[in-house]
Amino acid sequence: MTKRSRALWATSAAVAFTAVLTTASAHALDGAAATNELAYTAKIQVGEKTACTGALVAPQWVLSAKSCFADATGNVPAQPPAPTTVTVGRPDLTQTTTGGVRTATALVAHPDRDLVMVRLSTRVNNVQPVALAATPAAGNESLDAAGYGRTRTEWVPDLLHTASFTAAAPAATGDIDLTASGDAVMCKGDAGGPVLRGTGTTRELVAIASRSWQGGCLGMDPAETRTGAVATRVDDVRSWITSTAFRAQGDMTGDKISDLTAVWDDSTLHSYPGLGTGQLGNQMPLVGGTTWSTIKHLTKGDFTGDGIADLMSIWGDGTLHYYRGKGDGTIDTQRVVTLGGDTWLPIRNIAAGDFNKDGVDDLITIWGDGTLHLYTGKGDGQLNNGITVSQGAATWLTVKHTAAGDFNKDGVADLMAIWGDGSLHLYTGKGDGQLNAGTTMIGGTTWSTIKHLTAGDYNKDGVADLKAVWNDGTLRYYSGKGDGTINGQIQVTVGGTTWGSVRQLA
């Protein structure tokens, strides 16, 4: 049956369904209205005609049923087939003060199961993602399902509903048969909804609703009385979910590995793809030819919130520019950052990272008066007005190099700084743009001969690592341990001892 918007449903006649197990991409639960404890449940609206349910599994990703987006052949495109909005954190859709509405920008379908990961335009930071179950549903286990779909009496309800089902043991295909408890039923609009074990805030995601008989749902043939359903198991595909949601800082190619960018002494800009081991692939020239000679500072971060790293640089005329990453290792031509005009020349040092946990990288700077300032990203390459970072007051003038990344795996960028005495310190981010007091890293005062410093996740483990150019021209890699400390050095083989000719590194 064709799905319609709220307005169209109100004027259309009900169409009977044949008594077969349907895989239509929208089915609804005729149970109790849900509360805020299920805020991770998402309403997905695909164009004007299709609606589904989903579950927030990471700040920028919702898990749903791929049948919600599949074409007539069952294929799921890389982008939604029609403009798609995702509402999260609103069990009552008429309320606008909680949760948020995002645009779906990409789809990643599971190769074998009725599962799809939906990437949101920006993170949802005020809703806690649902926990993923580590064990499958057991036979006769009682589970709860949630959905925004049709009920027995409403075409397009405003309230999230829940109902209870009893699970059979998972089939070899990963499907779980669900038997309705009482008068529970899944209807159109519930596909993709979470199937949960536990109660209150201790719930965990066991499966995703896939299809049902829809007996008793509004618009169904009254002769259809079956209320059973099928859900898709998720506990054994947790690594697929988490790896899909993973976003690597400094990734210019979309492979979830940080890449390196360098301006050389011939004033050309090159990128080096990360290999996932701390090592780098061969160089690839970027735009601009030999025009990069007047660059004063260069950094790399995701300033547009699309998961691809962009470049930001201060030029010799005091202007700040950003270059949007295309996702293939290349960048677009420059765009001026309007904030500050041509006043950026006194900056002594810049680095980029997500210091306020909104999914968009921010610019952190040391000014000529020794103060540290943070400019949060707007998500379009532009910056908000700066705030003073109180940690360290006006003492930052003696810092030689900085690099930003999540070194303690808490989802907030931290700042690494090499001070004038040659020591390396880590300042963990608080999540509000401010920093905690510094802790000393390995190496004592041997960092004084470092010529360039940058950070990224070069080994794809979700923790920031360091890369540093030493005075002997070598590039060395220091993997992060995840607790705010780093391991000892490994030399990067590409480039040998020629890295001493680099003018800027990001």
Side-chain angles (χ1 to χ4, degrees):
M1 177 176 179
T2 300
K3 282 68 70 177
R4 297 174 172 85
S5 67
R6 184 184 303 270
L8 291 175
W9 275 124
T11 59
S12 72
V15 178
F17 288 78
T18 55
V20 296
L21 194 63
T22 178
T23 58
S25 63
H27 354 227
L29 290 161
D30 191 29
T35 61
N36 284 329
E37 70 186 31
L38 300 176
Y40 43 73
T41 308
K43 168 67 180 289
I44 303 173
Q45 185 67 47
V46 185
E48 289 292 318
K49 297 182 178 181
T50 304
C52 303
T53 302
L56 188 74
V57 292
Q60 205 166 354
W61 291 87
V62 163
L63 181 64
S64 187
K66 68 181 179 184
S67 52
C68 296
F69 298 94
D71 60 21
T73 66
N75 292 321
V76 176
Q79 284 82 36
T84 299
T85 58
V86 182
T87 303
V88 183
R90 295 181 183 172
D92 182 347
L93 294 173
T94 66
Q95 300 298 315
T96 59
T97 58
T98 59
V101 180
R102 302 290 189 269
T103 301
T105 61
L107 304 173
V108 180
H110 191 277
D112 304 313
R113 297 192 183 174
D114 187 17
L115 298 172
V116 64
M117 289 284 282
V118 183
R119 188 173 72 190
L120 309 181
S121 52
T122 58
R123 290 162 59 110
V124 179
N125 290 315
N126 56 356
V127 176
Q128 181 68 33
V130 63
L132 301 176
T135 57
N140 295 318
E141 182 176 359
S142 179
L143 303 172
D144 292 326
Y148 285 97
R150 193 187 310 172
T151 69
R152 295 179 186 271
T153 58
E154 291 183 278
W155 286 118
V156 187
D158 286 320
L159 300 179
L160 174 67
H161 284 77
T162 63
S164 296
F165 292 81
T166 300
T173 60
D175 284 344
I176 303 173
D177 290 327
L178 300 175
T179 302
S181 299
D183 62 355
V185 61
M186 289 187 186
C187 302
K188 285 189 171 294
D190 288 331
V195 179
L196 307 151
R197 69 157 56 103
T199 60
T201 58
T202 62
R203 294 182 189 268
E204 58 183 16
L205 184 68
V206 174
I208 288 292
S210 178
R211 51 200 186 273
S212 78
W213 290 103
Q214 305 183 67
C217 296
L218 185 62
M220 280 295 293
D221 185 343
E224 178 56 76
T225 60
R226 289 171 290 185
T227 56
V230 176
T232 304
R233 176 181 173 186
V234 301
D235 63 281
D236 59 340
V237 292
R238 294 170 71 195
S239 60
W240 173 77
I241 295 171
T242 55
S243 64
T244 301
F246 176 71
R247 185 183 71 160
Q249 176 189 342
D251 175 19
M252 298 183 69
T253 59
D255 63 357
K256 303 183 187 299
I257 303 170
S258 293
D259 309 304
L260 193 72
T261 307
V263 177
W264 286 81
D265 57 1
D266 63 356
S267 300
T268 58
L269 177 69
H270 296 264
S271 68
Y272 300 80
L275 301 181
T277 61
Q279 298 294 328
L280 300 173
N282 293 325
Q283 68 177 9
M284 180 170 61
L286 296 181
V287 299
T290 59
T291 64
W292 296 87
S293 60
T294 63
I295 288 290
K296 300 299 181 184
H297 301 286
L298 182 71
T299 190
K300 184 161 78 276
D302 181 9
F303 297 103
T304 57
D306 63 356
I308 299 298
D310 316 300
L311 294 183
M312 192 166 280
S313 63
I314 297 176
W315 284 75
D317 61 359
T319 57
L320 182 65
H321 298 255
Y322 83 95
Y323 306 78
R324 186 183 64 83
K326 294 182 179 181
D328 59 359
T330 64
I331 55 174
D332 274 338
T333 54
Q334 66 181 5
R335 305 179 190 184
V336 176
V337 177
T338 56
L339 181 69
D342 60 359
T343 66
W344 293 91
L345 208 53
I347 293 289
R348 302 293 296 272
N349 210 296
I350 65 174
D354 186 6
F355 289 91
N356 64 349
K357 205 176 180 181
D358 67 349
V360 177
D361 280 349
D362 315 306
L363 188 70
I364 193 164
T365 64
I366 298 175
W367 283 81
D369 61 359
T371 57
L372 187 65
H373 293 260
L374 181 74
Y375 301 83
T376 56
K378 291 184 175 182
D380 59 358
Q382 299 295 324
L383 302 173
N384 292 301
N385 290 330
I387 61 172
T388 301
V389 179
S390 58
Q391 180 63 46
T395 64
W396 292 89
L397 195 57
T398 61
V399 165
K400 303 299 184 183
H401 305 284
T402 60
D406 184 8
F407 290 92
N408 61 355
K409 209 172 183 179
D410 65 352
V412 181
D414 314 306
L415 188 69
M416 284 280 191
I418 298 176
W419 286 79
D421 64 355
S423 60
L424 176 67
H425 297 259
L426 175 70
Y427 301 82
T428 56
K430 294 183 177 182
D432 59 358
Q434 298 295 324
L435 301 175
N436 292 301
T439 56
T440 304
M441 296 289 102
I442 62 172
T445 59
T446 63
W447 297 88
S448 60
T449 59
I450 292 290
K451 299 185 67 174
H452 301 286
L453 186 72
T454 191
D457 183 8
Y458 299 104
N459 61 359
K460 204 177 179 180
D461 66 353
V463 179
D465 316 304
L466 285 180
K467 273 196 165 75
V469 175
W470 283 76
N471 63 345
D472 62 357
T474 59
L475 177 64
R476 306 182 198 184
Y477 155 70
Y478 304 79
S479 59
K481 295 182 180 181
D483 59 359
T485 63
I486 55 175
N487 291 300
Q489 63 183 355
I490 297 174
Q491 185 172 337
V492 176
T493 55
V494 166
T497 60
T498 67
W499 293 92
S501 299
V502 164
R503 298 176 57 180
Q504 302 289 338
L505 193 71

